[in-house]
Amino acid sequence: MNNTTKKDIWIIGSLLFLSFVPSIAGVVRISQLTTGSGYTVENQRFFDDPVPILLHIVAVLVYSILGAFQFAPGFRKLYPKWHRVSGRVLVFFGLTTAISGIWLTMVYPRVPTDGDWLFGIRMVIGFWMVICICLGFYFVMQRKYLIHSHWMIRGYAIGLGAGTQVFTHLPWFLFVGGDPSGIPRDLMMGAGWLINFLFAEWIIRRKNK
């Protein structure tokens, strides 16, 4: 196995691993909403208005899993046509992920565990993701492929925020117990997106060297 193949496997595997827990949670949520099972007071908002959450889950599943293969250089070079076609599909599902995230943030009532900052954080993240994907698409149309890749990395990193949030919440679950609420929850949610943002910028700067 050559080094490029090993690198591709590591990149794809890492991104799929980061998508794993949110993907499982999303499939469970779809099952609950389509079968009417698992109804609680806490998730009542999803049953009352299931369209935004279902649209968001499906878009995130496609975007996170299909997108993992876009960033493996050997795979991309081996299948350039696949990269171009799937890239256009990912623009659609990435924008759907971001816009549906903004939608459900605005239409669903605030849950008791959310602090005062989380609404604003989610709105900023949603619009930032839209900007990243739109700029990525614009630059590929201009054949500025390096800049295109930078913006697509940024957009995908934000899209994987839920995966990183599993790890930012883990210390709380291990050492405190129960579900965090208020400012601690806001900070842990925000930290997931911030870590991905910083990692994306690090990757971009490495690519530029």
Side-chain angles (χ1 to χ4, degrees):
M1 183 180 294
N2 58 47
N3 291 331
T4 301
T5 304
K6 289 180 180 178
K7 183 178 180 181
D8 288 348
I9 291 174
W10 186 88
I11 291 172
I12 295 169
S14 299
L15 295 176
L16 290 178
F17 174 76
L18 199 59
S19 306
F20 179 72
V21 173
S23 296
I24 294 299
V27 171
V28 170
R29 181 71 71 194
I30 290 174
S31 176
Q32 289 175 338
L33 293 173
T34 53
T35 62
S37 61
Y39 179 91
T40 65
V41 174
E42 288 75 16
N43 64 23
Q44 177 183 348
R45 64 193 185 283
F46 300 138
F47 287 89
D48 291 343
D49 187 10
V51 174
I53 189 65
L54 286 173
L55 191 62
H56 186 68
I57 291 171
V58 172
V60 169
L61 285 172
V62 176
Y63 186 65
S64 60
I65 294 173
L66 187 61
F69 296 87
Q70 294 292 93
F71 300 101
F75 188 86
R76 188 169 62 242
K77 186 178 294 185
L78 189 60
Y79 302 105
K81 185 176 180 180
W82 183 92
H83 176 76
R84 291 192 297 271
V85 174
S86 63
R88 285 164 171 75
V89 173
L90 285 167
V91 166
F92 172 79
F93 281 100
L95 289 175
T96 304
T97 294
I99 293 170
S100 62
I102 295 169
W103 182 15
L104 59 89
T105 299
M106 294 183 68
V107 302
Y108 285 151
R110 173 176 159 178
V111 297
T113 54
D114 287 355
D116 295 332
W117 299 347
L118 194 52
F119 178 90
I121 292 172
R122 283 172 169 156
M123 294 296 290
V124 169
I125 289 300
F127 281 109
W128 174 244
M129 188 172 173
V130 170
I131 291 169
C132 291
I133 295 172
C134 287
L135 285 175
F137 184 72
Y138 169 78
F139 283 116
V140 79
M141 292 293 100
Q142 299 295 312
R143 299 186 181 277
K144 297 179 179 179
Y145 299 117
L146 182 61
I147 303 176
H148 154 75
S149 69
H150 293 170
W151 285 105
M152 287 307 188
I153 288 171
R154 291 180 176 115
Y156 187 74
I158 293 300
L160 286 187
T164 308
Q165 285 159 0
V166 173
F167 296 99
T168 59
H169 281 70
L170 191 58
W172 181 280
F173 294 139
L174 291 176
F175 299 110
V176 180
D179 293 327
S181 62
I183 292 177
R185 171 170 162 78
D186 294 0
L187 291 176
M188 283 181 272
M189 294 288 287
W193 285 304
L194 179 61
I195 290 169
N196 284 14
F197 171 81
L198 294 175
F199 185 74
E201 295 304 316
W202 178 72
I203 291 293
I204 289 167
R205 277 150 183 76
R206 282 194 64 191
K207 286 167 67 75
N208 286 336
K209 290 183 179 179

